[in-house]
Amino acid sequence: MHELSIIQSLVDRVEQEVLKAGARSVKRLEVRVGELSGVEPELLSLAWEAFREAGVCAGASLSIEVVATRWSCPRCSLDVPPGTRLRCRVCDVPATLAEGGEIILQRVELEVPDV
Amino acid sequence: MCESCGCGDPEIVPVEVKESILAANDHEAAHNREHFDDAGVLALNIMGSPGSGKTALLEATAACVGAERLAAVSGDLATERDAERLGRVGIRSRAITTGQSCHLDARLIHRSLHGFSLDGVEIFFIENVGNLVCPAIYDLGQAANVVVISVTEGHDKPLKYPVMFRKADLVVLSKVDLLPHLPDFDVPTFVEYLGLVMPAVAWLPVSATRGDGMQDWADWLHALRRTHSDQTRVEHALHHDHDHDHGRGHDHGHGHGGDA
């Protein structure tokens, strides 16, 4: 299960933002995970619950947006439906993954002391 | 006032990050890629289930390509057996023992490259941990991904593991000498399924023990090495032009291999 190491990377990245902003803690995180990214949202949530206990992310909630798979033609941009042969039926070139491969930290909400 | 330190109420500050969670790994992978390109070495990430025949393929490659032109690192959870097997056929090799980790990452590759001489090496194999899921998402700095799947695994594996097959530049169908004993494995169906998950279908039937397809595999390696080093040369030249025209920094944002 690589979701634990994804969470480790996520926490490392968030800690950088915490330092940069001089924040006290993290309130909320938003991530975008593609259907074809190889990351299971449920396992990611579980890994998050297990991992966040210590440190600045202790009280933070994780919101996961799942991004649907979209293949398209690199030449004419025509969509190639998932579940079909992954080539453009007009240009006959291999399709490229336009969306659905991403594993992205979208947004963090930090609690910064009001001084 | 907050209770812990007496400061004012905290302000909620949103920060739009919009960056890959694996950015640190990708950065390290770009480093490895530069290292391989500078050494003129074609690096390949070899992935597949445990027992799919990754090590056997590399052993047989030593015989048909020449062990002295090859080097390898082998990722394994617990032992160094695969690296030892490769060492016995003359491939300069090192083991990466990952412990509990189900995949290799760019940092592990970087570390294993320290003090690893690439003199005279043309092709560097990164034999990943046996697993059809996790290794697919980590860029290691390879020029291409090879997925090894054996005929005993069944012809529907591409549909079950689309993430892995999407990342493959070549699929090696191994142990084809066993096909006569496996009437349920239908090769045309396997290829049709590949086309549903792999945009540019490329596959080779191979038997490492009997030698079927080994010459095609060697030809594929040589052809890829040629096109890759041409590409690298062109990219370097373009980077330099860029530097002169616009005075930009020399950042190696190579796009090949691994896109998540």
Side-chain angles (χ1 to χ4, degrees):
Chain A
M1 178 169 120
H2 51 278
E3 279 77 7
L4 265 178
S5 62
I6 301 272
I7 291 294
Q8 174 74 68
S9 310
L10 176 64
V11 170
D12 288 349
R13 186 66 186 80
V14 169
E15 280 173 354
Q16 287 175 22
E17 293 300 327
V18 166
L19 275 179
K20 223 193 291 175
R24 198 174 60 185
S25 60
V26 182
K27 176 104 177 134
R28 189 166 170 276
L29 299 182
E30 275 175 38
V31 299
R32 283 163 57 85
V33 169
E35 277 178 347
L36 268 187
S37 68
V39 175
E40 242 354 282
E42 265 179 48
L43 292 179
L44 196 66
S45 291
L46 273 177
W48 174 251
E49 295 305 324
F51 203 89
R52 66 167 181 175
E53 281 173 17
V56 285
C57 290
S61 65
L62 175 69
S63 129
I64 303 172
E65 185 196 341
V66 177
V67 184
T69 303
R70 193 166 67 81
W71 292 93
S72 65
C73 174
R75 215 172 276 173
C76 72
S77 303
L78 194 71
D79 272 1
V80 177
T84 66
R85 204 163 149 260
L86 296 177
R87 292 184 77 86
C88 176
R89 56 191 150 82
V90 180
C91 314
D92 196 33
V93 294
T96 49
L97 190 65
E99 279 176 66
E102 54 274 81
I103 307 171
I104 289 179
L105 170 58
Q106 188 71 8
R107 189 172 195 262
V108 290
E109 288 175 17
L110 304 170
E111 292 188 346
V112 181
D114 187 20
V115 280
Chain B
M1 296 264 275
C2 82
E3 294 148 19
S4 43
C5 65
C7 67
D9 281 337
E11 198 188 338
I12 303 297
V13 178
V15 182
E16 305 293 329
V17 183
K18 296 185 180 168
E19 192 182 281
S20 169
I21 295 173
L22 297 173
N25 180 76
D26 295 347
H27 183 76
E28 195 110 27
H31 242 300
N32 294 346
R33 187 163 284 125
E34 245 179 88
H35 181 71
F36 289 127
D37 287 348
D38 289 348
V41 171
L42 177 75
L44 297 175
N45 184 10
I46 313 288
M47 298 180 279
S49 312
S52 56
K54 297 181 291 300
T55 314
L57 174 71
L58 302 189
E59 285 173 318
T61 308
C64 68
V65 173
E68 68 287 351
R69 302 157 89 177
L70 308 176
V73 288
S74 290
D76 221 326
L77 294 184
T79 73
E80 301 190 352
R81 296 176 74 96
D82 288 351
E84 286 163 11
R85 276 173 64 183
L86 297 180
R88 276 198 289 275
V89 295
I91 301 177
R92 211 179 298 170
S93 62
R94 262 187 195 175
I96 302 177
T97 311
T98 59
Q100 293 303 309
S101 182
C102 48
H103 59 269
L104 294 174
D105 61 31
R107 189 180 43 93
L108 288 170
I109 299 304
H110 183 106
R111 247 195 254 156
S112 75
L113 287 172
H114 279 291
F116 196 130
S117 164
L118 295 177
D119 274 354
V121 170
E122 294 177 11
I123 301 168
F124 189 88
F125 294 113
I126 301 166
E127 186 187 349
N128 220 310
V129 180
N131 185 325
L132 264 186
V133 183
C134 314
I137 69 171
Y138 290 87
D139 186 11
L140 306 177
Q142 72 276 20
N145 288 321
V146 176
V147 174
V148 182
I149 169 183
S150 59
V151 292
T152 53
E153 293 171 63
H155 61 214
D156 58 351
K157 274 289 180 296
L159 298 184
K160 290 180 170 174
Y161 297 92
V163 175
M164 177 58 80
F165 287 91
R166 148 171 111 78
K167 293 288 183 74
D169 295 290
L170 178 75
V171 172
V172 170
L173 182 63
S174 65
K175 309 186 190 179
V176 291
D177 53 301
L178 297 178
L179 273 176
H181 308 287
L182 300 163
D184 287 345
F185 193 102
D186 186 55
V187 175
T189 306
F190 171 72
V191 178
E192 186 197 320
Y193 287 168
L194 272 185
L196 303 181
V197 292
M198 186 182 180
V201 175
W203 70 287
L204 287 176
V206 159
S207 164
T209 50
R210 209 170 59 184
D212 314 34
M214 287 307 296
Q215 193 51 53
D216 294 333
W217 163 242
D219 291 346
W220 183 86
L221 290 172
H222 290 311
L224 182 64
R225 180 160 187 271
R226 266 195 308 276
T227 49
H228 182 72
S229 60
D230 288 349
Q231 220 172 16
T232 313
R233 252 197 305 277
V234 170
E235 277 171 26
H236 274 251
L238 286 176
H239 272 294
H240 281 286
D241 284 351
H242 218 77
D243 282 351
H244 295 307
D245 292 350
H246 306 286
R248 290 237 187 114
H250 195 88
D251 82 282
H252 284 259
H254 301 181
H256 40 231
D259 59 345

